[in-house]
């Protein structure tokens, strides 16, 4: 949050000292007390007269009735309640209290003190009590009253019941009017005091919370050297195939790795045909900081063994995405460099506000790069009209509402949203600084209208954009991603000793994902793939049972493209974040910050309620689970579709107007109908990124799974991957592959069906694999052939048809190792290895990274053999196909 000084300074012409202003209010309270006291004297006088009267007959009956009413009202609680309230209102600071010290600063601003805050608190409390008093008096039944005296000019002596009622009504309205007048004056005092407090607070704010710094921060989004594609138009690509750039990369990577691959499997380079080199993809799991550190440790061992130079794809989920991000940015493929940075960066918690402010103050230029998108997104969000964020009650996606529809929040006594609204009225200063340049790059493509050059044209352009495109709200994921980027991508260069702070460095281009393609284009590094999922809730048929259907749909980010694996629709990576309609730009803006992607792909805190409940369920004793299960069954559906924390939301680049939507693909039609797209951690569906590596168009031959999941032996990742493979017709999946024999806790209906169809031989194979991993100290198991019939094949298992070789799955779980330097170390139970622990000592980083490296090095020969066999099968299948082609008549 930030302030601009002029926006929080309210006009306050009252220069009366605060002590005198409080005395004035006290005098008005005493006047109100006198009015109430005088009115009560009327009751008392009539009561006394009633006691002396001896009139009989009809007059006596009337007097007796009046006496009873006067006695009842004199004893009623309303009078004592009023005086009690007035007594509490009179409890103001003592008259000899001195005003707060006047410490003048530039701009003659009073430095706030606790006395100032107490004054504001007293005013607000007095106003609240007056409101309660007003309600009590207005609702009280005062009854008829006969008076011989007057309390105001408007009220005179009365003699009958009609005049008595008139007198009471006039008295009541007089008291209420006095209270209203006093409330109005106190409200004015509150406004003036808060404005003065705001002035003083502004002088005390650090520079980084003031508008000029935020504006300069947003200016970084307009750096044409960092965003060379700002003026380049983007279009949507349809289809499930890989893009041309990725196809070129595969060929370039094969040429680049040929010698290294031959050396790794132990054959001569001359004997290797590039077409036979297996396409190898590494699948890094989620697991927060534990997964990040262990994945870097695995890559270090791959680098030492030479296997890293044989990899084509680096796919990742959640925490391992941060490791891949480090390798493809400042580390330039070096796990040693990445580990050095992590060792230094994780000494301090990234969630510490003290560390954050120290970072911002000491590294101004880097901080502006880190928070550039957040600043620009925030300013653009409020560029046209005051719009406040609210949370949708059904979808979990943040929506917009006018200021009157949402409760405001406050920072100290200053109303932040009121400050924002005043800032919006000062569009001249904002527009003059950076918005004109920004909107020059946002000219709609479908018209020839020139970029706005005046403030009026700028406002009209902003209104036009906001009228047609919903503005995604800032969320906790935006801040989370910026903090991750600051902690893990900003390079920490250690000092000469531990007491010296690390020097920070950042190459600006790493703020965008598309910059990672430089080394990929050359074939020097594998292509990184970051994954996220969209939780679809509804129906593609728009039926009345829409909420009964829900599924997770996979999306992927690469240096080339962002798009949906399930829908087959893509945009260039440099266009991610642009509002698009009907397959074309609506506005041209800079590429989304890579920090936002880092936060999105690791936003496990956006999990469904069921996923959160399962975290607790796994720690419940087994004997209590049968008691809890019926309750969970009852709320199963509701908890599966509910998300407490909203996911990251952006303009849906695949949105189309109704007349241009696809009609042959219902799944795609549903995606195209949504203007906003919400994404979250792919680990909520599968903690291993099988989906991008199983795309048939990529032709991946070997998948190396680095599994650093929590509760690793009861997770259904392989079962879910098999279900995805069956749904997407991936015939090469090694059916029946399961490294763990244990059934998953509370499996879904689909998972139950999968387990029911497993053969006994498959179950036995899973038990054998689990036994080797847990008891045999084996750290890699290989699945390179089907263990169960394929659900996609209708031909006889004895058919002579030669099928393409199955994908080889090499599974490496993060487990302790008896031969490791610390044989007792178990990352599954070590406290510092907790998923969300963000502060590690250097020796803890080394311990986990060393274990991962040790496990991989122990299994190097097994991995080498599996890769060589994959190469031989691929070569044999190519020769077989070529032989068939030669036999076919031309």
């Amino acid at each position: 949050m930030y302030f601009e000084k002029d926006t929080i300074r309210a006009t306050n012409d009252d220069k009366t000292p605060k002590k005198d202003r409080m005395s004035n209010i006290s005098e008005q309270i005493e006047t109100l007390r006198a009015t109430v006291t005088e009115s009560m004297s009327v009751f008392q006088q009539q009561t006394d007269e009633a006691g002396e009267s001896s009139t009989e007959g009809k007059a006596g009956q009337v007097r007796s009735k009046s006496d009873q009413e006067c006695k009842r009202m004199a004893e009623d609680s309303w009078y004592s309640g009023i005086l009690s309230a007035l007594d509490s209102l009179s409890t103001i600071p003592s008259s000899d209290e001195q005003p707060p010290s006047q410490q003048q600063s530039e701009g003659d601003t009073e430095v706030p003190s606790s006395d100032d805050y107490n004054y504001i608190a007293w005013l607000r409390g007095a106003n609240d009590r007056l409101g309660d008093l007003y309600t009590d008096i207005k609702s009280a039944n005062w009854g008829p009253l006969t008076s011989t005296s007057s309390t105001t000019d408007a009220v005179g002596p009365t003699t009958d019941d009609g005049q008595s009622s008139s007198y009471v009504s006039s008295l009541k309205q007089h008291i209420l009017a006095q209270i209203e007048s006093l409330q109005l004056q106190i409200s004015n005092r509150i406004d003036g005091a808060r404005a003065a407090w705001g002035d003083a607070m502004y002088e005390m704010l650090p520079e980084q919370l003031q508008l000029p710094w935020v504006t300069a921060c947003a200016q970084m989004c307009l750096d044409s050297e960092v965003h060379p594609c700002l003026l380049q138009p983007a279009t949507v690509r349809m289809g499930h195939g890989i893009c041309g750039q990725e196809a070129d990369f595969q060929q370039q990577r094969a040429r680049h790795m040929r010698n290294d691959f031959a050396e790794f499997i132990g054959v001569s380079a001359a004997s290797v045909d590039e077409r036979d080199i297996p396409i190898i993809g590494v699948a890094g799991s989620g697991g927060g900081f534990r997964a990040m550190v262990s994945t870097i440790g695995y890559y270090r061992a791959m680098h030492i063994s030479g296997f890293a130079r044989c990899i084509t794809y680096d796919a990742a989920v959640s925490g391992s995405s941060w490791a891949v991000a480090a390798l493809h940015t400042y580390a330039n493929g070096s796990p040693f460099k990445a580990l050095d940075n992590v060792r230094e960066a994780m000494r301090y918690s990234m969630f510490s506000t003290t560390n954050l402010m120290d970072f911002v103050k000491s590294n101004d230029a880097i901080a502006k790069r880190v928070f550039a998108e957040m600043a620009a997104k925030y300013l653009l969000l409020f560029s046209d009209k005051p719009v406040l964020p609210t949370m949708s009650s059904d979808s979990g996606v943040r929506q917009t509402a006018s200021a009157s529809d949402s409760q405001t929040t406050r920072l100290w006594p200053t109303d932040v949203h009121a400050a924002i609204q005043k800032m919006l009225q000062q569009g001249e200063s904002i527009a003059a600084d950076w918005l004109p340049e920004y909107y020059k790059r946002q000219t709609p493509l479908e018209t020839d209208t020139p970029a706005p050059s005046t403030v009026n044209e700028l406002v009209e352009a902003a209104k036009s954009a906001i009228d047609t495109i919903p503005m995604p709200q800032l969320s906790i994921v935006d801040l989370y991603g910026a903090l991750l980027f600051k902690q893990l991508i900003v390079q920490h260069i250690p000092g000469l000793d531990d007491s010296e702070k690390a020097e920070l460095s950042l190459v600006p281009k790493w703020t965008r994902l598309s910059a990672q393609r430089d080394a990929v284009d050359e074939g020097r590094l594998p292509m990184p793939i970051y994954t996220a999922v969209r939780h679809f809730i509804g129906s593609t048929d728009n039926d009345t049972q829409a909420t009964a259907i829900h599924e997770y749909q996979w999306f992927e980010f690469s240096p080339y493209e962002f798009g949906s694996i399930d829908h087959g629709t893509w945009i260039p990576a440099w266009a991610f974040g642009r509002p698009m309609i009907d397959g074309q730009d609506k506005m041209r803006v800079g590429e989304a910050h890579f920090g936002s992607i880092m936060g999105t792909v690791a936003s496990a805190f956006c999990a469904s309620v069921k996923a959160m409940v399962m975290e607790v369920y796994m720690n419940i004793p087994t004997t209590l689970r049968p008691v809890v299960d019926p309750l969970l069954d009852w709320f199963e559906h509701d908890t599966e579709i509910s998300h407490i924390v909203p996911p990251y939301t952006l303009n849906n680049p695949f949105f189309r107007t109704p007349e241009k939507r696809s009609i042959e693909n219902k799944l795609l039609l549903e995606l195209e109908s949504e203007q906003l797209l919400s994404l979250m951690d792919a680990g909520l569906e599968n903690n291993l990124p099988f989906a991008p590596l199983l795309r048939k168009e990529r032709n991946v031959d070997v998948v190396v799974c680095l599994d650093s999941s929590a509760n690793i032996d009861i997770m259904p990742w392989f079962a879910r991957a098999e279900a995805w493979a069956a749904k997407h017709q991936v015939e090469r999946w090694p059916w029946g592959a399961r490294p763990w024999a244990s059934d998953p806790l509370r499996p879904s209906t689909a998972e139950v069906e999968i387990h029911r169809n497993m053969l006994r031989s498959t179950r036995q194979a899973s038990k054998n694999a689990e036994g080797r991993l847990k008891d045999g100290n084996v750290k890699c198991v290989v699945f390179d052939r089907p263990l169960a019939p394929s659900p996609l094949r209708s031909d006889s298992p004895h058919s002579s048809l030669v099928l393409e070789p199955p994908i080889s799955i090499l599974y490496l779980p993060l487990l302790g190792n008896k031969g490791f330097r610390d044989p007792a170390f178990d990352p599954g139970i070590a406290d510092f290895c907790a998923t969300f622990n963000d502060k590690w000592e250097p020796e803890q980083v080394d311990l986990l990274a060393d274990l991962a490296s040790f496990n991989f090095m122990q299994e190097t020969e097994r991995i080498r053999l599996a890769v060589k066999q994959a190469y031989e099968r691929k070569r044999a299948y190519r020769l077989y196909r070529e032989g068939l082609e030669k036999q076919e008549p031309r």
Side-chain angles (χ1 to χ4, degrees), residues 59 92 135 275 314 495 551 569 628 677 733:
I92 63 175
T135 302
R275 295 173 296 177
D314 289 333
E551 66 177 5
T569 182
V628 179
L677 179 64
W733 174 261

Side-chain angles (χ1 to χ4, degrees), residues 6 94 493:
D6 291 339
S94 59
I493 304 172

Side-chain angles (χ1 to χ4, degrees), residues 145-146 158-165:
L145 175 63
T146 302
T158 59
T159 56
D160 55 37
D161 288 348
Q163 291 175 324
S164 172
S165 298

Side-chain angles (χ1 to χ4, degrees), residues 531-550:
T531 58
V533 292
R534 171 188 183 234
H535 194 181
F536 166 65
I537 303 172
S539 170
T540 56
D541 296 321
N542 295 319
D543 59 22
T544 57
Q545 301 297 323
T547 56
I549 304 173
H550 72 97

Side-chain angles (χ1 to χ4, degrees), residues 482-721:
L483 295 177
L484 285 170
F485 187 89
K486 165 248 174 186
Q487 193 84 347
L488 303 177
I489 302 303
V490 173
Q491 191 173 358
H492 294 65
I493 304 172
L496 298 177
D497 53 63
D498 292 340
S499 62
E500 187 176 347
K501 284 190 175 181
E503 179 184 350
L504 303 185
S505 174
L506 174 65
V507 178
K509 70 175 183 179
W510 298 136
T511 58
R512 54 186 178 88
L513 169 63
S514 60
Q516 298 179 25
R517 68 174 292 176
D518 295 342
V520 176
D521 282 342
E522 299 171 2
R524 291 190 293 108
L525 292 180
M527 188 185 94
I529 303 174
Y530 308 94
T531 58
V533 292
R534 171 188 183 234
H535 194 181
F536 166 65
I537 303 172
S539 170
T540 56
D541 296 321
N542 295 319
D543 59 22
T544 57
Q545 301 297 323
T547 56
I549 304 173
H550 72 97
E551 66 177 5
Y552 287 100
Q553 300 167 346
W554 282 78
F555 286 73
E556 67 175 50
F557 307 80
S558 79
Y560 297 121
E561 287 187 313
F562 160 76
S564 169
I565 300 173
D566 294 305
H567 300 87
T569 182
W570 314 88
I571 60 170
W574 46 262
F576 178 66
R578 288 191 184 187
M580 301 182 70
I581 296 179
D582 295 332
Q584 292 185 323
D585 296 295
K586 180 64 177 178
M587 295 191 300
R588 297 180 186 176
V589 297
E591 181 178 344
H593 199 287
F594 184 53
S596 297
I597 297 175
M598 292 179 65
T600 300
V601 302
S603 55
F605 47 81
C606 296
S608 66
V609 174
K610 178 184 177 180
M612 295 181 178
V613 170
M614 289 304 299
E615 292 295 323
V616 179
Y617 183 84
M618 287 186 290
N619 295 315
I620 295 178
T622 306
T623 54
L624 295 180
R625 288 177 183 171
V627 179
V628 179
D629 283 336
L631 180 63
L632 296 181
D633 290 337
W634 182 267
F635 295 103
E636 180 84 7
H637 175 71
D638 291 338
T639 57
E640 283 181 331
I641 66 173
S642 301
H643 295 262
I644 297 176
V645 180
Y648 178 75
T649 302
L650 68 151
N651 291 108
N652 181 9
F654 313 115
F655 172 73
R656 293 179 182 270
T657 51
E659 63 273 12
K660 294 187 178 181
R661 290 177 191 163
S662 305
I663 59 175
E664 70 282 354
N665 187 331
K666 292 183 178 181
L667 189 67
L668 182 57
L669 179 63
E670 183 279 324
L671 177 66
E672 292 176 341
S673 66
E674 299 293 334
Q675 287 190 292
L676 295 176
L677 179 64
S678 297
L679 301 173
M680 61 191 79
D681 193 323
L684 302 178
E685 203 280 330
N686 196 322
N687 213 34
L688 286 168
F690 284 112
L693 298 177
L694 292 182
R695 286 178 59 188
K696 292 186 290 185
E697 308 79 24
R698 285 205 165 111
N699 294 310
V700 172
D701 302 295
V702 179
V703 177
V704 180
C705 300
L706 308 178
D707 193 357
S708 303
S709 304
N711 303 297
I712 198 168
D713 57 341
I714 59 173
M715 293 294 116
W717 310 140
F718 274 73
R720 291 184 182 179

Side-chain angles (χ1 to χ4, degrees), residues 325-341:
L327 292 171
H328 286 269
T329 52
Y330 66 88
N332 195 26
S334 170
F336 302 96
K337 194 172 184 178
L339 199 58
D340 288 342
N341 190 65

Side-chain angles (χ1 to χ4, degrees), residues 313-429:
Y313 292 105
D314 289 333
V317 166
S318 198
S320 63
S321 299
W322 307 335
V324 173
L327 292 171
H328 286 269
T329 52
Y330 66 88
N332 195 26
S334 170
F336 302 96
K337 194 172 184 178
L339 199 58
D340 288 342
N341 190 65
V342 168
R343 191 183 293 113
E344 185 66 28
M346 294 189 65
R347 293 172 59 187
Y348 310 97
S349 171
M350 76 175 194
F351 301 113
S352 167
T353 54
T354 301
N355 293 339
L356 177 60
M357 290 308 301
D358 181 64
F359 161 75
V360 172
K361 292 179 180 179
S362 305
N363 305 274
D364 183 77
I366 296 178
K368 288 175 179 176
R369 297 285 184 188
V370 170
F371 296 102
E373 181 179 305
M374 284 192 66
K377 189 173 181 180
Y378 192 87
L379 292 176
L380 279 180
L381 185 63
F382 293 98
S383 63
D384 173 59
K385 53 190 175 183
V387 181
L388 306 180
T390 63
M391 187 179 297
S392 168
S393 61
D394 53 353
S395 65
V397 179
R398 298 180 72 86
Q399 300 176 339
T400 60
S402 64
S404 61
D405 295 331
S406 177
Q407 295 182 348
T408 57
T409 57
R410 291 179 173 84
L411 178 64
W412 296 87
T414 303
D415 191 328
V416 173
H417 286 294
I420 293 173
Q421 293 175 23
K422 290 184 179 181
M423 182 271 290
L424 297 175
Q425 300 170 4
Q426 301 172 353
E428 293 280 346
S429 60

Side-chain angles (χ1 to χ4, degrees), residues 8 72 150 184 278 398 459 489 552 580 592 606 733 759 877:
I8 58 176
R72 175 182 58 77
S150 172
L184 178 61
R398 298 180 72 86
V459 172
I489 302 303
Y552 287 100
M580 301 182 70
C606 296
W733 174 261
L759 299 178
Y877 183 72

